[in-house]
Amino acid sequence: MTTEQDTTGTDPHHHDRDVAGFGRLTVRPVDPDGDVDLLHGWVTQERARFWGMLDADRERVREIYTYLNSLTTHHAYLVRRDGLPVALFQTYQPEADPVGECYPVQPGDFGLHLLVGPAAVAEPGFTGELLGALLDFVWADPNRRRLLAEPDARNDKAIARLLRSGFHLGPIVDKPEKRAQLLFLDRPVVAADRQPTDER
């Protein structure tokens, strides 16, 4: 994805970038205290039913994200576009997550969840642009070789979105909280990743 300016720096948990044609994208860790009202409002809406937190009260949401902040293998981020909050993005290492018991984890596998916040006005193509920008954030770590998504198997909309973004279907697996459709995306091959060839 073409970018005009990147001031991310070396902190792997903060991302601040102008994305051409989209706007200023910032990604920073969730603040369980400061963000609880916003997150509670998002995860308890019917549109977020597959997030599994419809009945969570404000304190439960705070507890969940305080716990996630204590882990080194799982991370939650608040995503803003031009200063406005637009998504909750979570990443994790599959080998340290229950999903790691459901499929053969490979070195370099990296899991993600994305909840797009409610929009005041529908914007065609927004989710695809947002996901593409977040994938740039994830691929910034060269050790990540394959991405894993695990939406609820009934979430046709999320599955279709991931397929349009290049993910391919894996197996359907049963987790304690849901039946999940696994999807995978291999790391794109770019010039820096290619090995030199002998053309003699």
Side-chain angles (χ1 to χ4, degrees):
M1 180 171 294
T2 304
T3 58
E4 297 170 349
Q5 181 182 9
D6 182 4
T7 59
T8 300
T10 57
D11 186 338
H13 298 296
H14 287 80
H15 187 72
D16 189 355
R17 175 173 291 188
D18 280 326
V19 180
F22 186 71
R24 187 78 178 181
L25 185 79
T26 58
V27 183
R28 55 101 170 140
V30 162
D31 173 358
D33 294 319
D35 297 330
V36 65
D37 290 332
L38 174 69
L39 298 182
H40 180 258
W42 284 1
V43 302
T44 56
Q45 292 186 11
E46 174 59 25
R47 62 183 296 279
R49 63 191 179 281
F50 292 120
W51 205 252
M53 297 173 67
L54 284 182
D55 298 326
D57 62 18
R58 189 173 176 276
E59 187 55 36
R60 178 61 180 150
V61 172
R62 187 204 309 271
E63 288 173 357
I64 289 169
Y65 287 99
T66 297
Y67 173 68
L68 280 179
N69 270 6
S70 74
L71 303 176
T72 59
T73 55
H74 293 62
H75 301 283
Y77 302 95
L78 184 66
V79 183
R80 293 178 182 269
R81 178 204 193 190
D82 295 333
L84 299 176
V86 294
L88 174 61
F89 187 54
Q90 295 179 197
T91 65
Y92 61 94
Q93 296 174 18
E95 67 274 16
D97 188 88
V99 75
E101 300 177 5
C102 300
Y103 85 101
V105 179
Q106 297 180 12
D109 278 2
F110 192 71
L112 55 85
H113 302 290
L114 174 64
L115 175 65
V116 178
V121 178
E123 184 179 337
F126 173 81
T127 302
E129 288 285 340
L130 175 65
L131 180 57
L134 290 172
L135 292 180
D136 286 347
F137 166 58
V138 170
W139 290 131
D141 184 336
N143 295 313
R144 296 168 185 163
R145 308 307 304 173
R146 186 174 69 157
L147 302 185
L148 163 69
E150 45 158 314
D152 190 294
R154 299 167 297 172
N155 193 344
D156 296 333
K157 191 173 181 179
I159 293 168
R161 174 68 266 168
L162 290 162
L163 290 173
R164 289 195 302 272
S165 297
F167 283 76
H168 60 86
L169 292 173
I172 293 177
V173 300
D174 288 314
K175 297 183 64 184
E177 77 282 10
K178 66 180 180 182
R179 171 162 283 191
Q181 171 66 67
L182 302 190
L183 296 100
F184 298 93
L185 179 65
D186 293 327
R187 185 180 186 87
V189 176
V190 297
D193 292 336
R194 296 192 185 103
Q195 297 297 318
T197 57
D198 186 349
E199 297 182 351
R200 289 179 300 175

